[in-house]
Amino acid sequence: MLSRLVLGRPILSASLVKSALRPISRHEPLIRQFARDSRESVTRARARPTLKERIMAPAGPNAFALGKGALAGGSVIGLGALCYYGLGLSSKANILDNSMLWPEYVKQRIRSTYAYFGGSVILTALSAAAVFRTPQLLNLVSKNGFMSILATVGLMIGSGMVAQSIPYKSGIGTKQLAWATHCAIVGAVVAPLCFLGGPILTRAAWYTAGVVGGLSTVAACAPSDKFLYMGGPLAIGLGFVFASSLASMWLPPTTALGAGIYSLSLYGGLLLFSGFLLYDTQRIVRKAETYPLYAERPFDPVNSAMSIYMDTLNIFIRIATILAGGGGRRK
């Protein structure tokens, strides 16, 4: 019995080994597949870019598509409003209808406002051309350092506040000198735009004239208070555009995040200041109509003109930048 038992152990062990190996061979492909899937998932997890890598990745060819689409939509709305109000389809009274009933002093106020507006544009253009032809001044205003930018912005804002704080008197006085100084400073700040070349700036000037003329016509043909309720949303939008303009100084538009911020500053700013032009145009007319004739301080056409002057200047800068290829257009 013991000999049979000893002789029979290998036979029993072989059968046990076969029975034990049989289920392992059946599940071995599953184990290998699981191991392979685990390795692939780890590889995919490592290959998946992080949030920082995504926003700092190079800007793609469609980085400015959203801004261009918003601008195209705004243009369509503007043309539709021009056709709608220009054809007199609105039943409410507009500025053109009310102008027939204006007394002479209201007409004089509006004429003076737009005369100062035209003078502001001419003084700015002359100042920019003079600074561009002076290498020392051009080198001074072309610096991109933080302190230089802060100084130029502070100088523009400060000169504008001084000009607006002086009471208005007809003729040539302190108010007019402060206004001319402010326009000269603004012209010096925008003088580096002359590097874009005469053809681009000429086209930008014509396009700006068309945009300003079309928006002014919309404001004149629309109901007299149609755009006066846009002050709050425009102020909020100005905060976003200002913040994006500051951020674009440190985030280059070559990255995905930088391109998005730059697009907001460029195309969003163009739409924003177009809205400001509608708002300021109707605000100027409303103030000319309602300002008391015998007030302690007379009606100030200089302060009224400075608002549409800054709107026009911002529109011009952004159109020139887009024409120069700064809006993502490839030459």
Side-chain angles (χ1 to χ4, degrees):
M1 283 294 290
L2 291 175
S3 61
R4 292 179 182 176
L5 192 60
V6 172
L7 293 174
R9 284 187 63 183
I11 300 174
L12 293 175
S13 298
S15 62
L16 288 175
V17 170
K18 289 180 181 179
S19 63
L21 289 177
R22 193 173 296 116
I24 293 177
S25 61
R26 186 165 54 247
H27 292 287
E28 185 176 0
L30 297 177
I31 297 174
R32 291 180 179 177
Q33 182 66 28
F34 177 76
R36 187 161 52 250
D37 291 344
S38 300
R39 288 194 298 267
E40 291 178 357
S41 61
V42 172
T43 304
R44 286 195 299 267
R46 291 178 180 176
R48 186 180 298 117
T50 62
L51 178 61
K52 182 179 179 180
E53 292 174 344
R54 289 179 181 178
I55 62 179
M56 298 306 294
N62 297 324
F64 298 93
L66 182 60
K68 293 179 180 179
L71 182 60
S75 302
V76 171
I77 293 175
L79 290 174
L82 181 61
C83 296
Y84 179 79
Y85 293 119
L87 294 175
L89 300 179
S90 178
S91 58
K92 296 182 179 180
N94 53 38
I95 293 177
L96 294 179
D97 297 332
N98 296 335
S99 63
M100 301 178 183
L101 305 176
W102 284 346
E104 185 61 30
Y105 69 88
V106 175
K107 298 178 182 178
Q108 182 61 36
R109 289 173 176 177
I110 296 177
R111 282 196 295 264
S112 299
T113 298
Y114 279 91
Y116 278 107
F117 166 67
S120 300
V121 174
I122 294 174
L123 286 175
T124 302
L126 293 176
S127 175
V131 171
F132 185 71
R133 295 174 182 272
T134 309
Q136 294 81 4
L137 294 177
L138 183 62
N139 182 46
L140 182 63
V141 299
S142 299
K143 293 182 178 179
N144 292 325
F146 178 75
M147 295 304 298
S148 176
I149 295 174
L150 188 64
T152 54
V153 172
L155 190 59
M156 281 196 303
I157 296 177
S159 61
M161 293 177 63
V162 170
Q164 290 181 329
S165 64
I166 300 175
Y168 173 78
K169 291 182 180 179
S170 59
I172 299 177
T174 308
K175 177 81 171 182
Q176 285 75 16
L177 292 177
W179 158 74
T181 302
H182 173 66
C183 295
I185 292 174
V186 173
V189 172
V190 301
L193 282 176
C194 296
F195 284 113
L196 298 179
I200 289 180
L201 294 181
T202 302
R203 289 173 57 196
W206 280 112
Y207 291 168
T208 303
V211 171
V212 172
L215 292 174
S216 300
T217 303
V218 171
C221 296
S224 56
D225 58 349
K226 180 69 175 179
F227 303 110
L228 293 179
Y229 303 102
M230 295 170 53
L234 289 174
I236 296 174
L238 181 62
F240 281 104
V241 171
F242 181 74
S244 63
S245 299
L246 290 179
S248 61
M249 297 178 184
W250 291 277
L251 292 172
T254 54
T255 62
L257 179 61
I261 294 177
Y262 184 71
S263 178
L264 175 62
S265 174
L266 184 63
Y267 294 102
L270 183 55
L271 290 174
L272 176 72
F273 288 106
S274 298
F276 264 115
L277 187 62
L278 294 171
Y279 169 78
D280 288 330
T281 300
Q282 290 199 340
R283 187 175 61 85
I284 288 171
V285 175
R286 174 61 61 88
K287 187 175 182 180
E289 291 175 336
T290 59
Y291 196 85
L293 182 59
Y294 300 102
E296 182 179 357
R297 297 182 63 170
F299 177 81
D300 195 336
V302 175
N303 290 357
S304 299
M306 287 178 68
S307 59
I308 55 176
Y309 160 64
M310 295 306 299
D311 298 338
T312 303
L313 182 63
N314 279 281
I315 291 173
F316 170 76
I317 292 173
R318 283 161 172 80
I319 290 179
T321 305
I322 293 173
L323 292 178
R329 183 174 62 87
R330 297 290 184 266
K331 293 182 179 180

